[in-house]
Amino acid sequence: MQPNIGQQDKWRPGYSEIAAQRLAQLSMEQRPDGPRLLFWPEAAVTNPMLDERSQPYGAYADFERARAASLVGPGDYLLTGGIALFSKDKIAVSGAANSVFVFGQGGRLVGRYDKAHLVPYGEYLPMRPLLSSIGLSRLAPGDVDFLPGPGPRTIELPGWGKVGFQLCYEIIFSGQVVDRRNRPDFIFNPSNDAWFGAWGPPQHLAQARLRAAEEGIPVIRSTPTGISAVIDAHGQVVQSLPWRTAGYFDGTLPPPAAKPTLFARFGNVLPLGIGFLLVIAAIALGRTGRYRRNT
């Protein structure tokens, strides 16, 4: 789903209701006969979907989860970006996570992935005691820093296979996008490319295509303003929605490569090794040229 919600609107007070209606409309516009996977963007739901504080905050989060999961039918799964709030004393917020929630029928929480590579000044304020004392703050709304997750995670979706997650610009980290002990069948890469104007979305899409080709694993991208896409295991874009367009596309999951690619088996050792050999070859050729001139 691509609801075409710009950054100027996303966190505006009261806009969460409009966003929820738009996502629900896109999700129910075409209902296939069989089960489906629904993909929503990063922070598609701006109100917390998990809140460890006592009531009424926990009830608000329960409502958000129930509203989103009401669109999930038998055999369906909803994969959506959302926010989790943590509390050590059930009163104050002690931290937050930029997360992907996976819901099954009836609002059952199948799993959650917490973003590991956080953006400084966007998702947390480095050296907060010092910088906050001189008036600096995060670029994104809120005073609570996000906490990093443990890294790549794979979740089993019965009937669909295994899904891995990379939230937003995590997909740029070559060799760090999958759990190598439990490789997924596809990667979900929700993002909020509305931050990055016209130049960011094509660049981000290109990076996602590289990761798909490196790992031999298809990538599904869902963003609020584009470019949302389905990328096959060879890095080719199978379906996409243009920038600043509201809509959705309905398709089938591309299969992963029949066997792991060389990169999937050896990671960045391959390009580093090739680079090292090229440096040695350049040194050797340079010395050979100097020797010939001297003789």
Side-chain angles (χ1 to χ4, degrees):
M1 311 300 163
Q2 185 170 295
N4 195 29
I5 298 172
Q7 194 62 25
Q8 71 279 4
D9 294 321
K10 191 175 187 69
W11 300 98
R12 182 154 52 88
Y15 198 82
S16 60
E17 294 297 322
I18 299 174
Q21 293 172 14
R22 191 174 298 182
L23 284 164
Q25 181 181 0
L26 290 171
S27 300
M28 300 304 293
E29 199 160 305
Q30 179 177 336
R31 177 78 202 194
D33 294 333
R36 60 188 182 155
L37 295 178
L38 297 172
F39 298 98
W40 287 4
E42 178 185 15
V45 181
T46 53
N47 293 327
M49 300 192 81
L50 173 68
D51 195 328
E52 293 183 346
R53 292 176 294 174
S54 57
Q55 305 301 347
Y57 302 105
Y60 297 153
D62 292 343
F63 168 77
E64 291 294 349
R65 291 199 305 271
R67 177 163 63 177
S70 66
L71 306 170
V72 181
D76 294 351
Y77 292 96
L78 169 64
L79 294 82
T80 177
I83 296 171
L85 295 182
F86 309 122
S87 178
K88 296 178 180 179
D89 59 6
K90 303 297 183 182
I91 299 174
V93 176
S94 57
N98 187 2
S99 305
V100 181
F101 293 83
V102 182
F103 295 111
Q105 186 181 14
R108 177 174 58 92
L109 180 62
V110 178
R112 191 185 86 229
Y113 168 78
D114 296 337
K115 187 177 181 182
H117 292 100
L118 300 177
V119 180
Y121 300 100
E123 293 170 312
Y124 70 98
L125 184 65
M127 300 180 293
R128 175 172 284 278
L130 173 62
L131 296 184
S132 61
S133 67
I134 60 175
L136 295 182
S137 62
R138 283 172 34 194
L139 298 176
D143 295 323
V144 178
D145 286 335
F146 285 85
L147 304 175
R153 183 186 180 192
T154 301
I155 292 177
E156 179 77 32
L157 300 180
W160 296 97
K162 296 184 289 186
V163 56
F165 305 90
Q166 288 294 292
L167 242 170
C168 196
Y169 264 76
E170 286 190 304
I171 199 75
I172 72 172
F173 292 97
S174 177
Q176 301 179 40
V177 298
V178 298
D179 180 354
R180 301 201 176 280
R181 296 167 299 179
N182 188 14
R183 285 175 58 81
D185 298 306
F186 67 98
I187 297 171
F188 179 39
N189 174 222
S191 181
N192 182 11
D193 288 359
W195 277 100
F196 306 110
W199 55 268
Q203 179 192 69
H204 200 179
L205 176 63
Q207 290 285 343
R209 293 179 64 185
L210 284 172
R211 300 295 87 76
E214 285 174 352
E215 298 289 348
I217 297 175
V219 174
I220 314 297
R221 301 197 73 241
S222 178
T223 72
T225 57
I227 304 168
S228 300
V230 174
I231 306 166
D232 69 15
H234 304 288
Q236 300 299 312
V237 177
V238 178
Q239 292 176 286
S240 65
L241 287 168
W243 183 52
R244 286 187 173 176
T245 301
Y248 69 94
F249 48 76
D250 186 13
T252 57
L253 280 173
K259 56 184 179 180
T261 64
L262 281 174
F263 184 91
R265 282 181 280 176
F266 299 103
N268 284 310
V269 171
L270 280 179
L272 289 174
I274 293 171
F276 178 74
L277 291 176
L278 289 174
V279 170
I280 297 299
I283 293 172
L285 289 172
R287 288 183 175 178
T288 301
R290 287 195 299 273
Y291 173 77
R292 287 175 178 173
R293 286 195 297 270
N294 292 332
T295 57

